[in-house]
Amino acid sequence: MTAGNKKERNKAGETAIDGKNSQHEARDGVEIGLNAAIVALERNEPMILTVVSNGETQAANDHQHGRQYGLPFGRFEPLTHHTMEMGVRGFVEEQTGLKFGYIEQLYTFGDRGRVVPRVDGEMHVVSIGYLALTRMGEHNPVSAQWRSWYLAFPWEDWRQGTPEIIQQEIVPRLLEWAKTTRAKSRGGPVDPLDRVNICFGGGGVGWDDEKVLDRYELLYEAGLVYEAQRDGRRAAAEIKDPPWLGEPMILDHRRILATAMSRMRAKIKYRPVIFDLMPASFTLLQLQQSAEAVSGNLLHKQNFRRLVEQGGLVVATGKMSSETGGRPAKLYRFRKEVLLERRTAGIRVRR
Amino acid sequence: MTAGNKKERNKAGETAIDGKNSQHEARDGVEIGLNAAIVALERNEPMILTVVSNGETQAANDHQHGRQYGLPFGRFEPLTHHTMEMGVRGFVEEQTGLKFGYIEQLYTFGDRGRVVPRVDGEMHVVSIGYLALTRMGEHNPVSAQWRSWYLAFPWEDWRQGTPEIIQQEIVPRLLEWAKTTRAKSRGGPVDPLDRVNICFGGGGVGWDDEKVLDRYELLYEAGLVYEAQRDGRRAAAEIKDPPWLGEPMILDHRRILATAMSRMRAKIKYRPVIFDLMPASFTLLQLQQSAEAVSGNLLHKQNFRRLVEQGGLVVATGKMSSETGGRPAKLYRFRKEVLLERRTAGIRVRR
DNA sequence: TCAAAAGTGTTATCCTTACACCCATGT
DNA sequence: ACATGGGTGTAAGGATAACACTTTTGA
């Protein structure tokens, strides 16, 4: 059953509002995939839990990337999982033995035309991405490994200054892409050069750490990430021997990870989600370095401390840590009561 | 085929990352429903496009609400619709004749256990909510009608001061609910009274216009909206003859609308989405009243004007409007270039 | 003694908020 | 004349960004 043309089924005026008017063709050839970007911190590096593809299925036409990483993945089984979030918790624990606390839905991707061949036709996969946060070492994963998210997105780590890859590899190729694209599509909705500037902070526009997804999608369109070629997209700028940027991932998992990073970077600024990555007590420098790891840039130390303490986000526990290398530091813990006092409680510091 | 127990299929270590290891049971009994909250403004009232349920299916055990409203609804057909967004555009136009410009995905709901009986078993519906924006009168809908979103959420309109329903109906019942709930679940994650205060701005916490979804979910949990009873939820506070708050909608459509309102109210503060609801040229008062209609509260006139003009969001067209009742007003238009200059461009004014 | 990190204090600047007041038109 | 909405100016207050400097430990 390949589910023929149903274009005419919903005519104007039928107002199919409860899905009841489709007695035949009950099976639709759609399944729900659940994907989790599970984040933890290890020595000030944001890590995500990955599983390794055996390189058989979709890496078949894959010359240089035989082994690819992916996010933990499972199917939504309505009869087993009462909710989709419980589905995510369930298959992650089954596959990797890992439990986590915080979970949040990111986005539902169905646009890339993911089709999986099956014995009786084709199965379309709609994948729902989730962001989950946990602490390193609480549970040890099996048959999965922690990897820095900056391996897939090297241009997102500005903690040691502007990454070289941006000026050396990305910007020149994107400018070339913008030129040829602009010539082709006169008067499109957005000027491609503007897009490059907005995404990568050129032409007076500054770098916006939250635009992780926009940048990935631009690189995909310009044919500069491996997935673009793998998905059969012809590079607009016809680049010879393109140096694929960042480590690729299977299917659309790198896109889901980009969504997770964008969400995470936006959210730490107005919600205290960073504490789901922290131990129960910590020094202010540890907290700052965690925020820096997530946002990918350095923060101003004094202002960070003042904001975080005076903002009521943390309180001193009274204990000290002398394992810091210098003067012993006060230990702090998250102060839950902020949520009652301020409507935005996060880490909003520059520099 | 009712798809038996598959709990054991994904064992630890299998790392099912590409969905290939399920040769049997290819059909899962899941379908994708697409729902659109389509918003437009009419005489400073935010309207959503609704279709009317015939009251047969799920309104069967429905004594007082035989006719219920719903959002335009369709199934995602991967073979017809190249993308899910195109699917939304397609079925909305087929059902109602309406076209729209802006569209954005909201959230994917699969938790309420929506089950539709089919000839060969049960079909679980996962519904993806969308927010779409359009201008009144560009196209006239057929077999659908525009209705104010405040009919479903009367407590969200603070433009004439605090709505009476809050102090008279909502707060006393929620306080009672919080008391009984607190007694039952000692030491739960969040104190129910705190939740009431955070959501409805009691106890020193102010009103947050963006918390539309949180408020609806709280009212649902407390059994104060009709849907809670209809879904078989026992009211925690065992309220006698409860006056259901706001107009109910079919299935989970009111929840999707709440998500749309929350997103919209949050987004006008940092993205120029309000202009997708405005005509090409407008006076500043019209713009202000549109923002007030969406956010549900009044804004400070002078500051609004300064912010919006000096922020570079609009430019004067040079023409004037003399249909204002007072002194003729300059006409303005949206200034697209803001997007290049500032990373947040929206309407962020108090009072 | 020096490096490393903790911690304190102060200043300049910008943005938000609020208030006061004048202008142009129709009735 | 007056009601209605349009439009301008400015001052107070608070938050933010930037800088300089002192303190406490371990090696």
Side-chain angles (χ1 to χ4, degrees), chain A residues 1-3 6-7 9-13 15-20 22-23 25-30 32 51-53 57 71 73 75-80 82-85 94-95 105 107-111 116 118-120 122-124 126 128 143 194 198 205-208 211 250-251 271 339-340 343, chain B residues 1-3 6-7 9-13 15-20 22-23 25-30 32 51-53 57 71 73 75-80 82-85 94-95 105 107-111 116 118-120 122-124 126 128 143 194 198 205-208 211 250-251 271 339-340 343:
Chain A
M1 173 184 123
T2 44
K6 302 172 196 168
K7 201 176 289 179
R9 195 156 49 73
N10 276 338
K11 288 197 181 61
T15 63
I17 50 176
D18 52 20
K20 206 192 167 194
S22 47
Q23 298 89 345
E25 297 184 319
R27 301 307 179 199
D28 202 22
V30 178
I32 313 260
V51 294
V52 180
S53 160
T57 312
L71 303 175
F73 172 103
R75 260 183 35 194
F76 176 48
E77 316 269 7
L79 298 175
T80 311
H82 285 183
T83 70
M84 295 189 296
E85 290 189 358
E94 282 170 20
Q95 281 180 30
Q105 190 188 105
Y107 200 81
T108 301
F109 300 92
D111 303 15
V116 179
R118 287 290 157 79
V119 285
D120 53 351
E122 288 180 333
M123 181 61 83
H124 293 258
V126 169
I128 309 181
S143 63
D194 286 346
I198 291 173
V205 191
W207 178 264
D208 184 352
K211 287 198 161 47
I250 62 163
L251 301 170
R271 281 292 138 87
L339 298 167
L340 279 166
R343 79 183 53 177
Chain B
M1 172 186 122
T2 45
K6 303 173 197 169
K7 201 177 289 178
R9 194 157 50 72
N10 278 337
K11 288 197 181 62
T15 63
I17 50 180
D18 52 21
K20 205 191 168 196
S22 45
Q23 296 90 345
E25 297 185 321
R27 302 307 181 201
D28 203 23
V30 178
I32 311 258
V51 294
V52 179
S53 160
T57 312
L71 303 175
F73 172 104
R75 261 189 25 199
F76 175 49
E77 315 270 8
L79 297 173
T80 311
H82 284 184
T83 70
M84 294 189 297
E85 290 188 358
E94 283 170 20
Q95 283 180 29
Q105 190 187 105
Y107 200 81
T108 300
F109 300 91
D111 302 15
V116 179
R118 287 290 155 77
V119 285
D120 52 352
E122 289 180 332
M123 181 62 83
H124 292 259
V126 169
I128 310 181
S143 63
D194 286 346
I198 291 173
V205 191
W207 178 263
D208 183 353
K211 288 198 161 46
I250 62 164
L251 300 171
R271 281 291 138 85
L339 298 169
L340 279 166
R343 79 184 53 177

Side-chain angles (χ1 to χ4, degrees), chain B residues 136-294:
Chain B
M136 206 51 115
E138 286 197 350
H139 315 81
N140 283 329
V142 294
S143 63
Q145 61 171 313
W146 293 105
R147 315 198 71 214
S148 168
W149 75 20
Y150 292 121
L151 292 172
F153 295 95
W155 55 88
E156 296 290 347
D157 189 358
W158 285 56
R159 287 175 297 174
Q160 273 83 46
T162 309
E164 288 184 0
I165 194 175
I166 291 186
Q167 290 311 321
Q168 291 180 0
E169 310 275 356
I170 296 178
V171 169
R173 288 189 174 78
L174 281 182
L175 290 179
E176 191 191 349
W177 168 84
K179 213 160 49 176
T180 57
T181 307
R182 178 148 52 167
K184 256 185 263 183
S185 63
R186 271 253 162 266
V190 188
D191 180 58
L193 182 59
D194 286 346
R195 259 186 88 193
V196 173
N197 285 332
I198 291 173
C199 284
F200 285 89
V205 191
W207 178 263
D208 183 353
D209 60 292
E210 298 178 20
K211 288 198 161 46
V212 184
L213 179 61
D214 307 65
R215 284 187 280 270
Y216 176 72
E217 291 186 335
L218 180 59
L219 294 174
Y220 184 99
E221 278 187 55
L224 297 175
V225 291
Y226 175 70
E227 289 90 329
Q229 190 215 46
R230 187 202 63 202
D231 299 350
R233 187 184 188 85
R234 175 146 302 289
E238 274 147 29
I239 296 155
K240 291 125 183 76
D241 189 28
W244 305 120
L245 301 168
E247 274 190 5
M249 296 177 76
I250 62 164
L251 300 171
D252 52 0
H253 287 195
R254 205 172 168 195
R255 195 182 179 201
I256 295 171
L257 176 56
T259 313
M261 292 171 64
S262 286
R263 181 74 61 90
M264 193 70 199
R265 286 182 169 184
K267 205 148 192 175
I268 55 168
K269 289 170 191 156
Y270 61 95
R271 281 291 138 85
V273 281
I274 190 78
F275 299 103
D276 287 285
L277 301 173
M278 304 290 299
S281 82
F282 45 81
T283 69
L284 289 186
L285 184 62
Q286 285 169 349
L287 183 65
Q288 179 177 348
Q289 287 171 331
S290 301
E292 288 173 339
V294 170

